[in-house]
Amino acid sequence: MPDINSQARSLWDKYYMVTLELLKFINEGNIDEFLELVEQRIRLMDMLDALPDTEYRSTEECQQLFEKIKPLDMQTIYKAKSWLNKAKRQNMAVRSYDVTGFLPVGNVFNRKY
């Protein structure tokens, strides 16, 4: 079974690296790259779930990796929620200036909202 354990170790290492990159890109405000990395991380998690139960998860090395991933996940979630709330506020502010209800001519030009 060392093959499965080494595969699990490799996938968890990649998961950790993608998590670090997620935090880097959300800090930079690069949302397109952030979303692409989220997709990659989901694929990594699917591959980890597809592996049979391994001894690697119970090792001290893996537990230490989990402890490093947890705070990064919390920071990423917090910053992603913050970005989403900011984007919603900006969208509401833009829409508050929409005057389509007041001018009949404006309704023709602004229907794509």
Side-chain angles (χ1 to χ4, degrees):
M1 290 277 182
D3 187 51
I4 292 174
N5 284 330
S6 63
Q7 189 177 6
R9 177 182 294 118
S10 173
L11 288 173
W12 277 112
D13 286 340
K14 289 177 185 177
Y15 187 88
Y16 173 68
M17 294 306 295
V18 169
T19 303
L20 286 173
E21 292 297 307
L22 279 173
L23 192 56
K24 179 178 100 175
F25 284 115
I26 196 73
N27 283 337
E28 292 173 359
N30 190 341
I31 302 306
D32 292 331
E33 287 294 325
F34 175 80
L35 293 175
E36 177 61 35
L37 286 172
V38 167
E39 291 296 321
Q40 287 180 21
R41 198 167 90 150
I42 289 170
R43 286 192 298 269
L44 280 170
M45 188 48 88
D46 290 342
M47 291 187 325
L48 283 164
D49 288 342
L51 285 177
D53 287 336
T54 63
E55 298 169 4
Y56 179 69
R57 287 195 84 166
S58 60
T59 64
E60 183 65 29
E61 177 188 359
C62 188
Q63 295 305 314
Q64 288 175 355
L65 191 58
F66 288 162
E67 292 302 317
K68 288 175 16 181
I69 290 172
K70 263 189 233 180
L72 296 174
D73 273 344
M74 296 306 292
Q75 288 178 21
T76 303
I77 290 169
Y78 174 77
K79 290 181 185 228
K81 284 182 179 181
S82 175
W83 174 83
L84 184 60
N85 288 336
K86 181 180 173 186
K88 284 180 182 179
R89 279 193 310 273
Q90 288 174 340
N91 193 20
M92 287 174 41
V94 167
R95 289 187 185 262
S96 70
Y97 289 102
D98 190 7
V99 291
T100 59
F102 300 113
L103 301 171
V105 174
N107 287 335
V108 173
F109 294 110
N110 292 324
R111 279 193 178 166
K112 291 188 180 180
Y113 280 101

